[in-house]
């Protein structure tokens, strides 16, 4: 139990660092009217990955911490840090809930079952972000901060979150497909080796018989 907690905390810290690096240095930022901005990035993918590896709570916290720190160090996004933490934590929470509590991917040995529920969990987690990130962001800017041009930001946020979600779902599908192909090749290789051993055993038995 102690080693498991250390393992989860280590992966959580790793996800936090990874999400910070991806969000901070590998994003395409778009400046909006009123001094606001949005961006294309794969930071949400880290929230999903963490949730699939260590569960929704740890994975969500890791991704949320990393991207929130990224907001805090960016003068444009610093005011949105609380919103970022809540939304990114929810991505991980939803993904982990569906993947582990409903799909039971951590205990299943069926690769097709694991792939199916991984994709379902990813779509649901990122689908939540596609819907609620723009809406929550609009409420946050318009009501809490009284920021102008919130309608323009809403449209751009919908666009960027949708593209980010599609990229992550595609990468999940391609990764799962390639894993399945590699496994099928491994199984075929093992079968061929077993058949060769059987034929070799048959030849040796025939040789012994004729020598007698």
């Amino acid at each position: 139990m102690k080693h498991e907690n250390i393992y989860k905390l280590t992966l959580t810290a790793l996800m936090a660092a990874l999400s910070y690096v991806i969000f901070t240095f590998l994003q395409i930022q778009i400046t909006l009217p009123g001094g606001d901005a949005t961006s294309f990035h794969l930071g949400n993918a880290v929230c999903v990955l963490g949730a699939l590896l260590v569960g929704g709570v740890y994975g969500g916290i890791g991704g949320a911490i990393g991207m929130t720190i990224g907001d805090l160090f960016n003068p444009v996004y610093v005011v949105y840090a609380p919103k970022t933490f809540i939304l990114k934590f929810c991505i991980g929470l939803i993904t982990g809930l569906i993947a582990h509590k409903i799909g039971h991917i951590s205990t299943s040995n069926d690769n097709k079952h694991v792939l199916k529920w991984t994709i379902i969990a990813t779509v649901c987690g990122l689908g939540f972000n596609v819907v609620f990130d723009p809406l929550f962001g609009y409420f946050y800017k318009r009501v809490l901060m009284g920021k102008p041009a919130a309608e323009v930001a809403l449209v751009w946020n919908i666009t960027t979150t949708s593209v980010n979600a599609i990229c992550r779902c595609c990468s999940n599908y391609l990764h799962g497909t390639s894993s399945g192909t590699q496994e099928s090749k491994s199984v075929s290789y093992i079968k061929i080796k077993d058949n060769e051993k059987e034929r070799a055993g048959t030849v040796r038995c025939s040789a012994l018989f004729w020598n007698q």
Side-chain angles (χ1 to χ4, degrees), residues 139-156:
F139 173 81
Y140 190 86
K141 295 169 188 174
R142 189 75 174 180
V143 178
L144 297 182
M145 300 178 61
K147 201 161 188 176
E151 290 83 1
V152 177
L154 175 64
V155 175
W156 273 105

Side-chain angles (χ1 to χ4, degrees), residues 92-113:
L93 203 61
I94 292 171
T95 303
L97 175 66
I98 295 174
H100 295 283
K101 299 299 182 182
I102 300 177
H104 302 287
I105 66 171
S106 56
T107 57
S108 175
N109 294 322
D110 185 353
N111 287 325
K112 290 184 178 179
H113 173 85

Side-chain angles (χ1 to χ4, degrees), residues 159-171:
T159 303
T160 54
T161 52
S162 299
V163 172
N164 294 339
I166 291 171
C167 290
R168 175 57 189 168
C169 289
C170 290
S171 66

